[in-house]
Amino acid sequence: MATIKPRQTNVIVNYDGKNLDHKISAYLEKYDFTDVASGESDNINITVSNRNKKWLSAWKPSKGDTLKAKIQQKYWQNFAGKKKSITTNCGCFVLDDLSYSGRPLTCTMSAVSIPTDDAFNSDEVTRTWENVTLKEIARTIAEDAGIRLFYDAEEISVEGIEQNNQTNCKFLYSLS
């Protein structure tokens, strides 16, 4: 007789380059992921049980730390009736807020895909771009902000465009 395995959903978290799956899974109470389509940043909220106060001492996260998060779904049945696993990459985030509450004791880590206090999203810039591609503009802005660029489009030539008192984030969003 075949064993039927129930569907499972797991959160895979990489924290400052370290795999935290074993730590998160034992304490995870809630995971929220918001994938925003407009010019705002994506965000995640991870709430963990803090009954032993490890998230307040030995495992305490710090604002500005980086997180990479994925959602893994195991034993999901597709239309052909076959069970398979699906992994959704949520992206890379910067820890923006840390809060504690209780009873019961919990720790909530809130992170955004774009640092809100970074010049990328706060400083208004005036710059003229001439004889470049959209990818070159995006790469220059990403390098200035210290963020990684993922560009998945055709090469688009730009003869000239003015960035006039706009944040780099809003300017790139308007171009795309």
Side-chain angles (χ1 to χ4, degrees), residues 57 88 96 111 136 162:
S57 56
T88 303
D96 188 305
E136 289 171 328
E162 182 80 23

Side-chain angles (χ1 to χ4, degrees), residues 14 27 33 36 48 69 84 101 113 116 129-132 159 163 165 170 175:
N14 185 292
Y27 297 91
F33 168 57
V36 181
V48 292
K84 66 180 210 171
S101 62
S113 60
T116 55
W129 301 89
E130 294 179 338
N131 299 319
V132 293
E159 283 186 32
Q163 179 180 352
N165 290 326
K170 286 184 181 178
L175 289 178

Side-chain angles (χ1 to χ4, degrees), residues 118-120 127 129 138-147 168:
D118 191 323
F120 176 75
R127 189 183 321 189
W129 301 89
R139 182 179 336 159
T140 300
I141 290 173
E143 286 173 357
D144 290 349
I147 57 177
N168 285 330

Side-chain angles (χ1 to χ4, degrees), residues 75-89:
Y75 314 119
W76 287 71
Q77 189 168 322
N78 64 15
F79 292 112
K82 294 185 178 183
K83 301 275 184 171
K84 66 180 210 171
S85 293
I86 302 165
T87 301
T88 303
N89 186 356

Side-chain angles (χ1 to χ4, degrees), residues 11-24:
V11 176
I12 301 169
V13 178
N14 185 292
Y15 187 90
D16 273 350
K18 297 175 187 142
N19 186 330
L20 284 191
D21 298 347
H22 63 285
K23 289 182 181 177
I24 291 287

